[in-house]
Amino acid sequence: MFILLNVIIRQSFDTMKNILLTIATVMLTLSCAQDKSSKILVLYYSQTGNTKAVAEQIATQIKADIEEILPTGPYNGDFKETIDRCQKEMEQGVIPSINPIKSNINDYDVIFIGYPVWFGTYAPPVTALLNTVDFSGKKIVPFCTFGSGGLDSSIRDLKAKQPNAEVLPGYGVRAARMDAVPQELDRFLKENGFIEGEYEKYEDFSEVRPVTEEEAAIFDAAVGNYPMIHATATNVSSRAVTGGTEYLFEADDIPGNPEFADMARTIKVYVLDLEGKDPEFTQVIR
């Protein structure tokens, strides 16, 4: 009787031990998964909602935490009012204050920083963020929305502002092309290893060559309706992409105001010419 009771107790103990080990394993697994997902943070400033839309798509796809950068004095005006205020602040050396970031930056290894491009760089609220938060040792992934361009120039400014952070390749999209974000963002995140999945690898651009009449017509069709570009294509390189061809044009840009004609400069313009669609430019590098 004593032996039988001892066997029953031992079996019960072993069963309880196995249950506890199983629970501990499950909790550890969940904990590890949570820690993995919490290592990426998406920080963004958005005025019109375009950058917010990109930020939310990034956070959803990579299962990252997300937080909005909020100025204490919001930019609530229309385009002209916003530009006038921004220009005045730049002339006076004023950096707008922002609400303190709630997220603990030390908890994250990778931080996506999103912003609209104003005057060729990130909007002032992001300047305030970079002035007050030290991203040393972190990997930063810039993403932005813009009228014509500014990804490259804003990345240069970001690297200068945070020299001890590792700034990775970024993603930028024109406000006029927001419908292209889901497909482009999916490719960007896969290409840079943030999500798994297959994507078509593009070849490098061809060697630069003088434009043909046909290519010049493609350039003119892509930029013709944009009032801030008054350019003539001179050289071009190209590569095949999904659904068509991507061009990288070099062009002589002449200011719209004749008084500043002597300030002509060479710009680079990325243009997509996809089957069944009109040519459209995706970014200008000035």
Side-chain angles (χ1 to χ4, degrees):
M1 181 70 178
F2 175 78
I3 295 175
L4 179 60
L5 181 61
N6 188 40
V7 170
I8 293 173
I9 292 174
R10 182 176 298 175
Q11 289 178 339
S12 299
F13 176 78
D14 289 341
T15 301
M16 182 60 68
K17 180 180 178 182
N18 290 334
I19 291 174
L20 291 174
L21 284 173
T22 301
I23 293 173
T25 301
V26 171
M27 291 181 66
L28 180 60
T29 301
L30 292 174
S31 176
C32 290
Q34 184 177 358
D35 288 342
K36 184 177 180 181
S37 66
S38 67
K39 289 182 180 179
I40 302 180
L41 172 67
V42 177
L43 277 176
Y44 73 93
Y45 167 70
S46 184
Q47 186 201 22
T48 65
N50 286 336
T51 308
K52 178 180 180 179
V54 179
E56 290 177 342
Q57 289 192 50
I58 292 174
T60 298
Q61 290 201 47
I62 64 177
K63 297 178 174 58
D65 294 336
I66 184 170
E67 181 174 349
E68 184 175 6
I69 301 166
L70 296 172
T72 55
Y75 292 81
N76 290 329
D78 59 20
F79 176 79
K80 185 179 185 308
E81 291 172 336
T82 297
I83 293 303
D84 289 347
R85 172 182 166 181
C86 183
Q87 185 171 20
K88 184 177 180 180
E89 290 175 340
M90 291 170 59
E91 291 172 351
Q92 297 177 347
V94 174
I95 305 297
S97 60
I98 59 174
N99 293 330
I101 298 300
K102 297 177 182 178
S103 303
N104 185 353
I105 299 300
N106 293 329
D107 292 341
Y108 301 93
D109 298 317
V110 180
I111 297 148
F112 283 70
I113 299 181
Y115 45 86
V117 171
W118 296 351
F119 290 94
T121 192
Y122 37 75
V126 175
T127 302
L129 171 76
L130 299 174
N131 284 349
T132 55
V133 179
D134 184 6
F135 291 95
S136 295
K138 306 299 180 182
K139 293 182 178 180
I140 296 178
V141 184
F143 64 97
C144 59
T145 57
F146 45 75
S148 60
L151 174 63
D152 294 74
S153 53
S154 64
I155 287 179
R156 287 196 300 269
D157 292 343
L158 203 159
K159 288 180 177 178
K161 182 69 73 171
Q162 294 282 338
N164 296 319
E166 180 183 357
V167 181
L168 303 180
Y171 171 72
V173 63
R174 289 181 61 211
R177 301 184 63 253
M178 289 299 293
D179 59 340
V181 170
Q183 182 178 355
E184 291 184 352
L185 199 56
D186 181 76
R187 174 184 169 79
F188 173 80
L189 295 174
K190 288 175 179 176
E191 185 176 21
N192 290 280
F194 293 106
I195 58 176
E196 296 181 354
E198 296 183 357
Y199 65 94
E200 183 179 355
K201 292 182 173 65
Y202 295 156
E203 299 292 333
D204 293 335
F205 281 95
S206 65
E207 292 186 5
V208 177
R209 62 184 182 275
V211 296
T212 64
E213 289 185 8
E214 181 181 357
E215 290 167 338
I218 291 172
F219 176 83
D220 292 341
V223 305
N225 293 326
Y226 192 75
M228 303 302 292
I229 299 178
H230 307 86
T232 301
T234 55
N235 299 305
V236 67
S237 57
S238 61
R239 64 179 178 180
V241 297
T242 303
T245 304
E246 182 178 21
Y247 295 94
L248 176 52
F249 287 96
E250 293 179 358
D252 293 333
D253 187 33
I254 301 174
N257 189 335
E259 294 181 8
F260 301 104
D262 59 343
M263 297 176 62
R265 56 184 173 178
T266 299
I267 60 174
K268 292 184 177 182
V269 184
Y270 288 87
V271 171
L272 278 178
D273 185 20
L274 304 181
E275 185 177 351
K277 296 184 178 181
D278 294 331
E280 60 179 355
F281 79 91
T282 60
Q283 182 182 184
V284 177
I285 300 177
R286 294 182 170 88

